[in-house]
Amino acid sequence: MGQIILRLIGALILLAGIILIYDARIITKKMFGFGDQNEATAGFKILGVLLSIIGAAIIYFS
């Protein structure tokens, strides 16, 4: 039972990372001014990649 919950949490983290990668520009348009959009988009994409790796590692090692 605990393994299923751990895999579900890993899948949710992986999904959040993928959403951050693909929707980074849309998210930054709503949150930041024009000058900060490029830096924030790059930051969100990097964060998305890290979350995807963490989520995949949780799924793989559980």
Side-chain angles (χ1 to χ4, degrees), residues 30 38 48 51:
K30 293 179 183 177
N38 290 332
L51 283 176

Side-chain angles (χ1 to χ4, degrees), residues 18-28 41 44-45:
I18 292 170
I19 289 172
L20 273 178
I21 292 170
Y22 284 109
D23 292 340
R25 181 69 62 183
I26 297 168
I27 294 169
T28 54
T41 300
F44 277 163
K45 287 188 179 198

Side-chain angles (χ1 to χ4, degrees), residues 36-54:
D36 297 332
Q37 277 184 4
N38 290 332
E39 293 174 14
T41 300
F44 277 163
K45 287 188 179 198
I46 292 169
L47 179 63
V49 169
L50 292 176
L51 283 176
S52 298
I53 292 170
I54 291 169

